[in-house]
Amino acid sequence: MSPANQLYMKSELLPCMGASDKQIRSTAGTIISTLVQIGGLSGWPELLHALVKCLDSNDPNHMEGAMDALSKICEDVPQLLDADISGLSERPINVFLPRFLQLFQSPQTTLRKLSLCTVNHFIMLMPTVLYMSMDKYLQGLFILANDPAPEVRKLVRNFSCCHFLICRSQNASYL
């Protein structure tokens, strides 16, 4: 694909993260993740800024669209968010993880589910920011274990056993 076509696609995808139609947001997230896999994050510097802006917008569609894209990126290539990127003062995971943990308390079930799944992709990598936020992560997990939405509780049950084993192997003092 020509660079001009890639630029066009990227410019058209960013607004789609806030589309009112969930299928459009989801499709945009899939394409965004694919483009990140192909070109990395340094090849699309506006993406990280756009994702942060969407997460901080308090608009449910923008937040869900950004989390959908981030969840897919983290599922496919989580190591890209835990790497130094030229032109950025810190690793992207350092910016995003506090927002993911904050979304554990979102009134929207979808955002709680997406944030929990997204953080799950980093457990094996255990970036420094997650290690340093382990207390907050575990507190969030315990709160989500009693979530009113059965699908969130199910995710916690599915992740918890594995998480606790990994956390124990990383640092038994947290448990």
Side-chain angles (χ1 to χ4, degrees):
M1 181 183 309
S2 75
N5 287 343
Q6 285 184 23
L7 274 175
Y8 175 75
M9 281 182 52
K10 289 175 181 179
S11 69
E12 293 298 313
L13 281 169
L14 294 179
C16 291
M17 286 191 296
S20 59
D21 186 322
K22 186 175 183 161
Q23 290 179 331
I24 291 174
R25 292 192 305 269
S26 179
T27 301
T30 300
I31 297 169
I32 288 168
S33 178
T34 301
L35 289 173
V36 168
Q37 287 178 62
I38 293 169
L41 291 168
S42 58
W44 195 355
E46 328 55 64
L47 176 63
L48 295 175
H49 175 71
L51 291 167
V52 168
K53 187 176 175 182
C54 286
L55 288 177
D56 292 347
S57 73
N58 291 321
D59 175 270
N61 291 334
H62 281 91
M63 293 173 75
E64 186 178 319
M67 277 308 304
D68 182 79
L70 282 161
S71 179
K72 290 171 181 172
I73 292 167
C74 295
E75 179 179 2
D76 297 332
V77 284
Q79 66 279 5
L80 290 183
L81 289 178
D82 189 29
D84 295 321
I85 297 177
S86 179
L88 295 180
S89 60
E90 58 186 328
R91 292 178 174 199
I93 190 62
N94 295 349
V95 173
F96 288 116
L97 185 73
R99 288 169 170 85
F100 298 157
L101 294 176
Q102 185 177 11
L103 287 173
F104 280 15
Q105 300 173 31
S106 172
Q108 295 184 339
T109 301
T110 302
L111 289 175
R112 293 192 308 275
K113 286 175 24 183
L114 285 169
S115 62
L116 180 58
C117 288
T118 303
V119 173
N120 179 54
H121 298 305
F122 289 99
I123 294 296
M124 290 298 292
L125 291 176
M126 195 54 72
T128 301
V129 68
L130 180 55
Y131 181 80
M132 299 305 291
S133 303
M134 189 56 64
D135 286 337
K136 187 170 185 176
Y137 167 70
L138 291 173
Q139 288 170 4
L141 259 186
F142 286 122
I143 291 168
L144 291 175
N146 295 308
D147 196 89
E151 59 266 34
V152 174
R153 291 192 309 269
K154 181 178 179 182
L155 284 173
V156 172
R157 282 193 311 272
N158 291 343
F159 295 154
S160 291
C161 183
C162 179
H163 287 186
F164 288 123
L165 291 173
I166 293 167
C167 290
R168 181 170 162 77
S169 71
Q170 297 278 335
N171 183 358
S173 68
Y174 282 114
L175 302 175

